[in-house]
Structure formats: structure tokens, C-alpha cells
Amino acid sequence: MTAVADPTQGTPEIGARRLRKEDQRLVTGRTKWTDNISLPGMVHLAMVRSPFAHARITGIDTAAATAATNVLAVYTAADFPDGIGACANAWPITPEQVTPDHLPLVGERVACAGEIVAVVVARSAAAARDAVELVDVDYEELPAVFDGREAMRDEILAHPDKGTNKSALWRLDSADGGTGGDVEAAITAARADGILIEREYRQQRLIPAFMEPRSTVVDPTGEQVTMWTATQIPHILRFLIAATTGMPESKIRVIAPDVGGGFGGKLQTTPEEFITLAVARRLGKPAKYTETRSESLLSAHHGRDQYQKLTLAATKDGTVTGLKVDLIANLGAYVAIVGGGVPVLGAWMFNAIYKFPAYQFNCQTVLTNTTWVDAYRGAGRPEATFGIERIMDELAAEVGVDPLTIREQNWIKHEEFPFTSVAGMTYDSGNYEAATARAKELFGYDALRAEQASRRASGDPVQLGIGVSTFTEMCGLAPSRVLGSLSYGAGGWESASIRMLPTGKVEVVTGTSPHGQGHETAWSQIVADRLGVPFEDIEVLHGDTQVAYKGLDTYGSRSLVVGGEAVVRAADKVIEKARAFAAHLLEANADDLEFEAGRFTVQGTDQGIGITDVALATFASHNYPEGLEPGIDADATFDPDNFSFPHGTHLCAMEVDTETGASRMRAYVCVDDIGHIINPLIVEGQVHGGLVQGIAQALWEEAVYDDNGTLVTGSFVDYTLPTAADTISFVTENTTSPSTTNTLGTKGVGEAGTIASTPAVVNAIVDALRPLGIHDIAMPCTPERVWQAIQSAGAPAGTTGQDGDSQ
């Protein structure tokens, strides 16, 4: 266990509300987005995509497109007989997993709408897009399957050559793992003399909808191929290009310039990246592809899409005794880079903050003829949090107590940390009581409950509902040994370097690759405090595999808790290397030197030297101790022993008009415990953005296919993203129980708001309508769905409304 000091004591940068260094260029757009890059002689690409969800390609006529003005070439899969690489699955969750080949350019059969069957190369992007319409593709349409439950029947096969739609079955059972009891015995006991609640929930399909569409530029000229691309994973992308094309990794340079958002949606190796690379190499010219927004919504990977069945066993007083989870997870047409593993991440989070004595998790992944599904902000943890927080509300209703009462009765007490959960995870620190007490105070919980009772008593057509979400999550996707035990294809360590320049400036090189999180600011604050150099004198370099040659990139809320700790360790190495030089220059014993605020001093004297002066002295190398190399630069790699576990309590008040079905958010309060905070301003921004994303799943967003597999929410006209005008001002605050897995005591915050907010909102809407006998409304809870639920509320519990939503 790592000892944790309070970094806010005597440190002017950590904990400061620093404005982000990045914002001037990001907010104004005056930066090098990938689509801004223009190289001499560059050609432009446009993709010919299948309009069918499942079809055999019987012919492609490219003659008219090839003859079009300013068109240089039209390529199909036949033009690359040796292939152009493949989109890899890096996490086969079982040895038997069914994993269809995912080729960037399809030659025989398309498995989802939007698959690329040809690429047009032209002198301008407009000419390339125009010529796409001239490519004549003959298709023989095949039967298709779109829904996960339907796929389970294997009546229509997404990939006929595989013989099944079932990709993998993965299970975690507390009885098998020795962490708990037999869940079937708990269920049997509850059925006989206790409480047994069974519920089915739907996690609808979502689209990451990042601000900047994906874009790729490849320059094949010279000895090294350089790729600029809007990606979260430049290092992993370089490796997978080499691994699937046979190109030497040393000949590939991947640069992620400023990237306009990702939310998990840019952690793929995409077909478009492989195609742009292949065309550039074929022509010997720089090539660019930038997707349209419609292409992005159609073919960038989607998120969520699960059917959840939860069975909760409890004693009559509401003490939980067992939880069984059965998932059907729709992977889409292919098993994406970590797609099969995303629903599995929920295995360790469905039990959440509760002391379940017995637990079983079963996940069946299936293939369909839809866009492939992968990580979307939270990646498996929002799905799990939604399921458990919804059914805990059901347990409270069954017992007849307040939802917070049932949670407090079953959660882990602060004095019980570290606590090993029934799923086998060791939660290192937490205080659910403190976060909940503060949230209740800020929310005015008791007053709102009194108002709710008054409205119910008066028959007010606008009812008030109060939603609760008390959550934890596993952050810092990292421990390499754990990932290896789960057959994950990569490690989880992170790397950092610190270069002490002779001018007194500092360069920090990080293996994490930001796409809006504020790494440049936060890393500068950490180093400023550690080394005692001015915040303004620190430059953070990232996202270029030739500059930051070593790293595992950004996803899973790992940047600060893993990458930030690597920065700390590199800084500490700099100090220790500098100590030997300072001792020599001061003619003192190194053990007699104290280091504080960027200066070495000899104990008991005023004799000293600054660390930047040491850097200059080592640069000149006129006088340095024998046996040491000139320079005090340092590298560090950090691989944690455990995840970190932020938690929090989110409270939401919703007013629901029972006559129209319209819902209006009245108040939202969240108190999160994310350990020590580096920059409160960045934290607030992450929480606000995360809240809106989770609320949007509850109220507005859903990717919808028609019966032919056409994405009918293929533009922002139909895929309803919220704006600031659709939300309210949130009240956010933090409690602090430092993580023990890193010296900064940080836990991660990038996904917390999204994970916690969705069940808080849905619980509030259901709470408002529970007197009508309604215990669920499928997301998004649109006015129409709420109204339909109200209209059919006279039906017995468990029947369905007009739209098939459970009542």
C-alpha cells in the first residue's frame, strides 16, 4: 500500500483553480486539428458505403467515377489483393469467442449499413464526394438481424459463415471465486421467506457524437510514414498498424494533434485510417480523409445496447442477500477493439457499494447487422450503475422505506475500508455516509420530500419525483497483471519523461493523449509543485509517438491516476539525480541537502542552489561528479497494483406533468469523492459535461434503426443531443477520502458524472409516478413514453404499455 501525503499542504499549484493552458487555442479553434492539415500534393478520399445492413456484393462498376473530373482513382478490395490490415479485437473475453474478420475495405459481403466497399481518390474533397455517387454497386440483399434478443435465436445470422450470432458467454460467480456464497441458494431462500425482485432494464444504443468528426492525414513520403489522426490511442494505433500490415513499427509515426473530443468514440483503429494509409502508400502521395457528420453517426462505433435482467434477493427488512445479473450485449457486426470486454467491466460494478453475500454475473455477447459497439463514456460502469441503482429503488419501495434508507442499510461503512467486494475487487477508500449527508443538505432533501407528499395528497397534475444514485466505479484501467488475467491484449502501465532544459524551462512528455481533458494544465501543476518551478515555465508534450515514444494513451479514466503518477515519479527521479549534482556543486554531502520550493539547501545554512541552476550546470558539464552522466532528465513508468474507486451521491428532482408526460428537471445535486483534486476548475468542467451526457441518455438520446437496418437517427435533426438551454444549473461539491493506490491520492473524474446521473434521473421520474403503479419507463423517457406509461397505468404491474415499455 502506498503512503499518501496531503498534496494541498504547502503546495500553491495543486488544488489551484488554474485556467487551462489549452483553452485559448481549443476554444477559438486556432490550432492544428487534423482536418486543418494540408500537405503539398495531397489527395482527398471519399468512401463508398453500403446502404444495406446485410448484402452480398455482386459487382462494382467504377468507370464513371474514375472518368469524372479531378478524380485520380477509385479502389476496391480487389485492388489490394494482399490486404491493407484489419481492425483488431484486443480483448477476446473467452478462448471460444466468435470473432468475425473485420476488414477495412469489404469485397464480398457487407454486415452493416455504412461498411466501405470502395474509395474515391480526387484532387479535392468535394470532387471525391461527388464521384461517390457515380460508383455503381450491385448488391444482393440478405436477411438481417438488428436486436440482441432476436440475435440470440440464431434464426437469422449476422455472419452466416460463423453459424451463430452468439459471440461469447462470460461469467463471474462469487461461489466459484470464493468471494461469496451461492446466489441460487439466496434466491431460493428469498422466494420462500423474504423479498425477491426481478426486473428487466434496457440500455438503449447511443452514439458518442464527439464535437470533431474523425479525420486522418497520411504522408508516405520519406523513410517514415506519418499519420495524423483524430484518435485517443496514437501508441496503440501505431502498434496495431504494424501488427496487421507487416510494416515495421519504427517506420510508422502516429500523431494525435489537438483532438476535439472522443468519449471513447475515438479509441478504435478505424477502417478509414487503414484505407487512407493504403491509398497514400499506393500513390506515394499524402492523402486525407475527413468524415461528414452523417458518416460519423452511422459508422463511428456506438455505445451501450444491452438487455439487463436483474434478480435481487433480500430479507423482509431489506437486507440484501444475493444478486444475479444476466446480460445480452449487442456488439453490432464486429467485435471492436475492446467491444467484447466493455459489458464485462460491469461484472465488478453491479454489486456497487453494497455488501452482497452472494453474486453471479452472466454476460452473453451477440453479433447483429448494426454498427459495432464499443466503449462510450463510462464503458460498462454506467450500465451496471443504472441496473443496480434502479433495482435498489425497487427494493426500497417493496420494503416501504426511503430509497436512501435502504442504501444506508446495505452499503459499506467508512470504517470497513479497505473492503473486498463480493466480485473480488478491493475498494481502498471511501466514505459514502459523508457524501450522502452533504448531498442531502445541499439538495434540501427533507423539504422536497415534504413537498412531494403535499402534491400527492392534493392530486396535483404535476407530480414531484426524487431520484437517488449512490455509485462507485473502477477508474484507472491499468493493472497489467489484472488485465493479463482477463486476456486483455495490452498492459496498463503509463510512462512519462521530464526534460530539464538549460534555460530553466521544463518539458514534460506524457504517454497519455488528451482530447479535451486538460492534461497540459494539470500535469504542469503537478510538476510545478514537485520541482518548484513556475507553472508558466512548463510545457507538456503528448500525442506524438516520435516525441512521446512510449505510452498507452487515454481511456477508462486512467490519465491522472496512472499517467499523472508516472509524472510524479519522473519528477522525483529528477530531484534525486539533481541532488547528487547539487551536492557536488555545493561541496556538501548529498544526505545533508534539503529540497524545497525548487531549491537545494545545506541543512543549517543559507547555502544553496536552485534546481534550474543545476540543470544549466549539467548542460555545460564543466564541473560534475565523476561516475555520473551529465544531465538530470528522468523517465518513469507506473503500473498500479489496483484500480481506484471514486464514488458519490447524486440527487435529482423531476417534475412530471401527468396530463402531457412532459418532465422538467427541478434540481440536481451531486457530491463526488474523487480523492485529492489537482484543479477544481477542471473537475467542475468534467462533472458538468458528464452529468449532461448521462442525463441525455435518460431523457433524449437513442440510436434507432428501422426494419431494414437503416439508421433513422443519422443526423442531429433526429439524434437529439441536448444543448445548454436544455439543462439547468447543477450544484456540485466534493468530499475527500484519498486513494491509496497513488501518491497523489487521486481517483479519477472523467466518467463519474455520466455513470451516476442516468439512474438518478430515471429514478426521479419513476418516483413521481410510482403511486400510479409504474415502476419502469424505457429510456429515453420522452414525453410520449411517459404519457403512454401513464395511460396504461391501470394495468397490473408487469404488463406493457402501448410502446412495449414495462410498467
Side-chain angles (χ1 to χ4, degrees):
M1 182 177 294
T2 306
V4 177
D6 184 349
T8 63
Q9 296 301 312
T11 53
E13 285 297 341
I14 289 180
R17 297 175 65 86
R18 278 280 190 180
L19 294 176
R20 302 198 319 173
K21 288 183 173 183
E22 305 92 325
D23 281 352
Q24 178 62 35
R25 68 177 194 272
L26 294 180
V27 173
T28 62
R30 296 178 180 275
T31 188
K32 187 176 283 188
W33 310 109
T34 303
D35 193 42
N36 291 346
I37 295 170
S38 183
L39 302 175
M42 187 171 71
V43 300
H44 297 263
L45 278 55
M47 306 301 169
V48 180
R49 299 180 183 273
S50 169
F52 297 106
H54 196 197
R56 187 173 292 109
I57 301 168
T58 59
I60 304 178
D61 185 351
T62 64
T66 303
T69 303
N70 289 322
V71 171
L72 303 176
V74 181
Y75 296 120
T76 67
D79 294 304
F80 299 97
D82 296 328
I84 58 172
C87 298
N89 169 237
W91 192 354
I93 59 174
T94 68
E96 303 80 20
Q97 176 178 284
V98 175
T99 310
D101 292 338
H102 189 180
L103 301 178
L105 197 55
V106 179
E108 297 180 359
R109 182 180 59 86
V110 296
C112 64
E115 278 214 87
I116 302 168
V117 300
V119 54
V120 176
V121 186
R123 290 188 174 88
S124 71
R129 286 194 294 267
D130 288 345
V132 162
E133 304 299 324
L134 302 176
V135 178
D136 187 11
V137 185
D138 291 327
Y139 297 96
E140 177 189 333
E141 195 169 0
L142 300 171
V145 60
F146 311 117
D147 178 76
R149 281 179 171 168
E150 291 179 6
M152 288 287 291
R153 301 188 186 106
D154 278 340
E155 295 173 356
I156 298 173
L157 298 180
H159 294 272
D161 58 309
K162 297 300 180 183
T164 181
N165 293 321
K166 301 179 183 69
S167 180
L169 175 63
W170 194 94
R171 169 177 289 183
L172 186 152
D173 194 308
S174 64
D176 296 339
T179 55
D182 184 342
V183 75
E184 296 298 342
I187 290 171
T188 299
R191 183 176 286 113
D193 186 29
I195 296 172
L196 188 67
I197 300 175
E198 294 180 286
R199 293 290 185 268
E200 295 186 10
Y201 301 120
R202 174 78 170 118
Q203 280 280 322
Q204 78 269 38
R205 179 176 284 238
L206 302 175
I207 302 176
F210 29 72
M211 185 176 292
E212 175 206 20
R214 297 173 303 167
S215 181
T216 299
V217 174
V218 176
D219 184 358
T221 60
E223 291 296 315
Q224 189 180 52
V225 174
T226 301
M227 174 185 286
W228 294 263
T229 186
T231 184
Q232 298 175 218
I233 55 165
H235 297 91
I236 294 172
L237 175 57
R238 178 183 64 171
F239 168 77
L240 288 175
I241 288 173
T244 63
T245 66
M247 293 176 63
E249 191 172 354
S250 62
K251 299 296 184 183
I252 305 167
R253 179 182 183 185
V254 176
I255 302 172
D258 281 333
V259 175
F263 310 123
K266 291 177 181 172
L267 57 67
Q268 294 298 326
T269 54
T270 69
E272 294 85 354
E273 286 166 335
F274 283 106
I275 291 170
T276 306
L277 174 65
V279 170
R281 296 180 72 199
R282 175 91 169 228
L283 295 177
K285 295 176 178 289
K288 177 195 282 189
Y289 168 75
T290 300
E291 67 185 1
T292 65
R293 180 60 68 181
S294 293
E295 285 180 299
S296 179
L297 295 174
L298 173 65
S299 60
H301 81 246
H302 293 173
R304 312 287 194 252
D305 204 343
Q306 291 182 4
Y307 287 102
Q308 305 175 333
K309 180 180 179 182
L310 275 66
T311 304
L312 187 148
T315 60
K316 289 180 178 179
D317 72 346
T319 301
V320 297
T321 58
L323 177 67
K324 183 178 181 181
V325 177
D326 294 290
L327 297 187
I328 299 174
N330 184 355
L331 301 182
Y334 298 101
V335 189
I337 189 167
V338 291
V342 165
V344 166
L345 287 173
W348 296 281
M349 289 289 101
F350 269 97
N351 53 284
I353 65 174
Y354 307 113
K355 294 183 285 189
F356 283 98
Y359 174 60
Q360 186 183 99
F361 172 91
N362 305 288
C363 176
Q364 177 68 64
T365 59
V366 295
L367 300 163
T368 62
N369 298 114
T370 58
T371 300
W372 49 96
V373 173
D374 208 328
Y376 172 57
R377 199 171 189 171
R381 289 103 75 203
E383 297 92 317
T385 299
F386 180 83
I388 186 61
E389 288 303 285
R390 287 287 296 109
I391 204 167
M392 288 300 288
D393 260 30
E394 298 302 301
L395 177 61
E398 183 71 22
V399 177
V401 299
D402 187 276
L404 280 175
T405 300
I406 208 72
R407 286 166 169 81
E408 184 175 4
Q409 179 178 334
N410 288 286
W411 70 33
I412 304 158
K413 305 299 189 291
H414 71 275
E415 64 269 14
E416 295 178 286
F417 288 95
F419 183 90
T420 299
S421 76
V422 71
M425 282 286 177
T426 299
Y427 300 170
D428 61 329
S429 67
N431 191 328
Y432 310 139
E433 301 98 310
T436 302
R438 183 58 178 150
K440 285 182 67 177
E441 180 183 356
L442 292 170
F443 191 66
Y445 191 85
D446 294 338
L448 284 170
R449 282 293 185 199
E451 180 184 341
Q452 178 187 58
S454 175
R455 288 196 187 196
R456 287 179 176 176
S458 67
D460 193 326
V462 178
Q463 287 291 303
L464 178 65
I466 298 172
V468 175
S469 175
T470 50
F471 84 106
T472 189
E473 60 154 322
M474 49 193 285
C475 273
L477 188 64
S480 296
R481 297 178 190 86
V482 174
L483 297 178
S485 70
L486 297 172
S487 301
Y488 185 79
W493 50 264
E494 196 47 80
S495 179
S497 302
I498 293 183
R499 303 168 183 165
M500 302 297 295
L501 305 181
T503 55
K505 310 300 182 182
V506 180
E507 288 181 340
V508 180
V509 183
T510 176
T512 63
S513 185
H515 40 281
Q517 292 90 339
H519 293 185
E520 294 176 28
T521 302
W523 277 214
S524 295
Q525 290 179 267
I526 293 169
V527 173
D529 276 351
R530 215 73 178 188
L531 297 184
V533 297
F535 172 84
E536 295 78 10
D537 288 349
I538 300 168
E539 186 79 13
V540 179
L541 308 177
H542 56 79
D544 183 337
T545 61
Q546 191 156 291
V547 176
Y549 69 93
K550 185 179 179 182
L552 284 173
D553 307 320
T554 295
Y555 40 85
S557 293
R558 68 188 302 274
S559 292
L560 180 59
V561 296
V562 187
E565 180 67 13
V567 170
V568 168
R569 296 188 178 209
D572 288 347
K573 286 185 177 182
V574 167
I575 293 169
E576 289 312 303
K577 291 177 77 172
R579 184 183 300 276
F581 282 92
H584 177 77
L585 294 170
L586 294 170
E587 299 180 347
N589 190 306
D591 293 337
D592 293 333
L593 294 187
E594 297 177 339
F595 181 75
E596 185 177 355
R599 186 173 177 82
F600 291 98
T601 56
V602 181
Q603 294 180 31
T605 74
D606 59 0
Q607 184 182 6
I609 187 172
I611 195 169
T612 55
D613 294 322
V614 175
L616 178 59
T618 59
F619 170 74
S621 295
H622 296 158
N623 179 19
Y624 64 94
E626 291 186 11
L628 294 181
E629 297 177 352
I632 57 173
D633 299 347
D635 303 332
T637 300
F638 176 60
D639 194 349
D641 295 326
N642 194 8
F643 301 94
S644 67
F645 299 93
H647 69 82
T649 297
H650 289 226
L651 301 174
C652 175
M654 297 290 294
E655 293 182 331
V656 182
D657 189 327
T658 59
E659 296 177 341
T660 66
S663 300
R664 184 183 75 87
M665 186 171 290
R666 165 89 168 268
Y668 197 103
V669 168
C670 65
V671 177
D672 292 314
D673 185 335
I674 58 170
H676 285 138
I677 293 172
I678 304 301
N679 186 321
L681 201 60
I682 290 177
V683 166
E684 289 168 14
Q686 288 281 5
V687 171
H688 287 178
L691 290 177
V692 173
Q693 232 158 344
I695 292 167
Q697 177 175 7
L699 297 179
W700 299 298
E701 293 186 36
E702 183 176 23
V704 179
Y705 289 93
D706 67 14
D707 292 340
N708 297 315
T710 301
L711 183 68
V712 298
T713 52
S715 75
F716 285 156
V717 173
D718 302 294
Y719 189 81
T720 48
L721 286 180
T723 69
D726 298 305
T727 61
I728 65 171
S729 294
F730 310 120
V731 177
T732 67
E733 203 170 285
N734 299 97
T735 55
T736 302
S737 53
S739 172
T740 63
T741 64
N742 60 81
T743 57
L744 289 169
T746 58
K747 292 184 177 182
V749 71
E751 297 165 296
T754 303
I755 291 169
S757 58
T758 307
V761 174
V762 176
N763 278 342
I765 293 173
V766 173
D767 184 57
L769 301 177
R770 194 175 292 279
L772 301 178
I774 295 170
H775 65 70
D776 191 36
I777 298 172
M779 296 186 291
C781 300
T782 60
E784 180 184 8
R785 284 183 171 173
V786 172
W787 184 85
Q788 288 178 338
I790 293 168
Q791 298 312 299
S792 54
T799 61
T800 57
Q802 298 173 29
D803 63 342
D805 296 335
S806 177
Q807 308 302 320

